[in-house]
Amino acid sequence: MRPDSDTENQGLWLERALLPAGWAERVRIGIRQGCISSIAVGAAPEPGDSRVALAVPGLGNLHSHAFQRGMAGLAETGGGSGDSFWSWRELMYRFLDRIDPDALQAVTEQAYVEMLESGFTRVGEFHYLHHAPDGRRYGDRAEMAGRIAAAAANTGIGLTLLPVFYAHADFGGAPPNPSQRRLIHDIDGFAALLERSRRAIAPLDDAVLGLAPHSLRAVTPEQLARLLPLTSGPIHIHIAEQLREVEACLVWSGMRPVQWLLAHADVDARWCLVHATHVEADELRGIAASAAVVGLCPITEANLGDGLFPMQAFVAAGGRFGIGSDSNVLIDAAEELRWLEYGQRLRQQRRNVLVAVGEVSSGRLLFDRAVQGAAQALGTAHGLRVGAPADIVSLDIQHPALLARTGDALLDSWVFAARNGAVDAVWRRGRKLVSGGRHHRRDAIGARFARILAQLLQA
Ligand code: ZN
């Protein structure tokens, strides 16, 4: 899908907008070939401009497993004291076994519609469901990657595809479990998958291809060393999400996962360390100094009982972060930001824990940093600035939670006081995809999702 032909020389006139330098009024944004070509502050609207009351930049969702949207809410029955991330994973593998290419595309489209409606304009798809249910390769080894690209094309969301390399069940090269057969590659097969994936995303306007060693459990040091030269794009890895993983890493290497990674890989601004929940002070400083982004997924981390990342110390050390919807148990950009702050408040029994006196507000800090961090992790430009993609979110100033607000209080009220209905419209590369809070293709995509889900859950 190439929407740019109908967005040549388009203009948006924003009564109020959050620019990189702060809030501005009467902002005219020129859009050419999907990107912002000009910005004028204090300007009058031009004939043909779309008028918007309040606009902020689109936010990236840096970590998603879209297919898991189909099992949201199905793992909430009590399993006793043994119920954990690991028992959830067994249920997830059973669900994954039923997903064919049509099902993957239908569930992914539904998830991407919900992301756009909540204010996410790009997604980092951490994609590991590569093979057929019996573990054999599809005729096109990037069949499933192609379905994710099709879902991005059909919904309009920006895509950073992160094909996942998975080879082992645990540290030390343990052989994979039968339930992981749809995930497994050797290095040569994975290199071929990357090449095919590059072709699968080529029809998209501004898709980015990176790669993802799944975790230090799933990849040996030798494999990690051979994987990294296969990309010049973003590199994402799950790390230190669970204490059991930290303990197993200590037994295997004598080091904690983040400590090991920083010592053995050239971690830099291309990296996204997803979760990094269980880190000590020196690891925290090491991540901050590397300029890597920490990918935080507070809703999923709460749902899975992972633990709390030490946000306050990390932000104080200048650390970079973004947010991800991960398991997609609930898709809501504002709620991810809300829980990022609320987790810390509950732990510290204090309020506004991330901002210092005299700085911007909590909502503003969370939003600005998450926009910057996600863009870095997803390999794209961000913000309402010339040259960046025209990815823009407008908020409904008539929403009860936003009435009579100005400046940062608008973001605070969206993050802490509103529900999903506060997002009014969403543009991606200048094309309007969401109006009045509804994605233009919500009904058709929702109907297909309903049909496919009935089949998946009856099976
Ligand atoms: Zn994940």
Side-chain angles (χ1 to χ4, degrees):
M1 180 185 300
R2 293 202 176 266
D4 291 350
S5 56
D6 51 62
T7 59
E8 287 286 339
N9 303 320
Q10 178 193 345
L12 285 181
W13 187 79
L14 316 171
E15 218 169 297
R16 280 180 289 180
L18 183 60
L19 303 184
W23 292 98
E25 295 188 359
R26 299 176 61 79
V27 178
R28 184 176 189 277
I29 289 192
I31 299 169
R32 201 173 186 138
Q33 294 184 331
C35 291
I36 296 175
S37 56
S38 63
I39 295 186
V41 176
E46 292 184 14
D49 283 356
S50 302
R51 295 181 181 219
V52 179
L54 174 63
V56 298
L59 178 63
N61 174 2
L62 57 61
H63 188 67
S64 159
H65 310 279
F67 78 89
Q68 292 176 13
R69 182 62 187 148
M71 56 172 282
L74 295 179
E76 308 300 330
T77 50
S81 59
D83 207 0
S84 66
F85 170 87
W86 308 100
S87 55
W88 171 86
R89 193 179 70 159
E90 282 312 307
L91 188 136
M92 185 271 284
Y93 282 155
R94 289 203 297 279
F95 180 73
L96 172 148
D97 271 349
R98 299 176 178 176
I99 294 189
D100 65 10
D102 285 345
L104 179 69
Q105 186 175 335
V107 178
T108 301
E109 287 186 7
Q110 174 67 23
Y112 290 176
V113 161
E114 294 183 38
M115 287 176 198
L116 283 159
E117 288 180 350
S118 93
F120 287 126
T121 49
R122 173 172 286 268
V123 60
E125 186 63 32
F126 198 99
H127 165 53
Y128 55 67
L129 180 49
H130 302 301
H131 306 312
D134 62 4
R136 275 187 283 201
R137 280 207 324 256
Y138 286 108
D140 173 359
R141 65 172 73 229
E143 169 75 32
M144 295 301 236
R147 297 309 191 106
I148 290 167
N154 288 341
T155 58
I157 201 165
L159 177 66
T160 295
L161 184 65
L162 301 156
V164 173
F165 179 85
Y166 203 111
H168 302 286
D170 216 333
F171 292 98
N177 303 322
S179 56
Q180 295 164 336
R181 65 192 174 280
R182 302 189 70 180
L183 287 54
I184 304 301
H185 277 99
D186 59 21
I187 293 287
D188 291 340
F190 185 75
L193 171 77
L194 272 187
E195 216 30 65
R196 290 293 311 174
S197 299
R198 193 178 306 283
R199 271 190 260 177
I201 63 168
L204 297 167
D205 287 304
D206 60 355
V208 172
L209 184 68
L211 64 75
H214 177 274
S215 56
L216 294 179
R217 302 192 306 272
V219 181
T220 63
E222 298 72 30
Q223 287 167 333
L224 186 62
R226 291 185 62 195
L227 279 174
L228 299 181
L230 296 178
T231 185
S232 57
I235 301 162
H236 289 219
I237 186 168
H238 288 133
I239 198 150
E241 179 177 8
Q242 288 279 323
L243 278 176
R244 185 171 118 180
E245 174 192 346
V246 176
E247 286 156 10
C249 190
L250 279 165
V251 169
W252 167 65
S253 68
M255 299 174 94
R256 303 166 58 83
V258 169
Q259 191 184 14
W260 190 95
L261 187 72
L262 292 172
H264 292 88
D266 196 8
V267 175
D268 60 17
R270 288 163 58 211
W271 283 73
C272 178
L273 276 50
V274 181
H275 305 302
T277 311
H278 300 286
V279 285
E280 294 188 338
D282 54 340
E283 295 175 290
L284 209 65
R285 284 193 297 273
I287 301 171
S290 75
V293 170
V294 170
L296 298 164
C297 312
I299 294 175
T300 296
E301 287 155 7
N303 185 269
L304 296 179
D306 287 341
L308 279 172
F309 175 75
M311 266 305 273
Q312 190 188 24
F314 187 62
V315 168
R320 305 175 186 195
F321 67 86
I323 53 167
S325 62
D326 195 358
S327 72
N328 295 307
V329 64
L330 178 74
I331 297 173
D332 187 330
E335 184 154 344
E336 295 288 359
L337 296 173
R338 185 182 315 149
W339 275 101
L340 212 46
E341 170 78 18
Y342 277 177
Q344 305 299 316
R345 291 190 189 186
L346 287 166
R347 176 149 81 177
Q348 300 193 23
Q349 300 173 43
R350 291 204 299 120
R351 302 188 70 249
N352 296 311
V353 296
L354 300 179
V355 290
V357 175
E359 279 191 343
V360 294
S361 69
S362 290
R364 172 76 184 279
L365 178 136
L366 289 162
F367 184 77
D368 279 356
R369 300 285 185 88
V371 167
Q372 291 163 21
Q376 178 182 318
L378 299 177
T380 185
H382 68 274
L384 303 183
R385 68 181 85 223
V386 172
D391 297 354
I392 299 166
V393 173
S394 80
L395 300 176
D396 176 11
I397 56 167
Q398 304 299 330
H399 187 285
L402 302 190
L403 289 171
R405 270 46 167 198
T406 58
D408 291 349
L410 286 160
L411 282 174
D412 294 332
S413 300
W414 179 33
V415 170
F416 295 106
R419 288 176 295 188
N420 238 350
V423 171
D424 179 33
V426 177
W427 289 259
R428 245 289 294 166
R429 291 183 63 79
R431 194 162 62 108
K432 199 173 189 183
L433 301 174
V434 173
S435 301
R438 292 179 64 89
H439 189 279
H440 295 177
R441 303 194 61 201
R442 183 206 269 192
D443 291 346
I445 286 169
R448 194 150 79 103
F449 176 67
R451 275 199 310 278
I452 290 274
L453 208 67
Q455 291 165 15
L456 275 177
L457 299 182
Q458 273 164 18

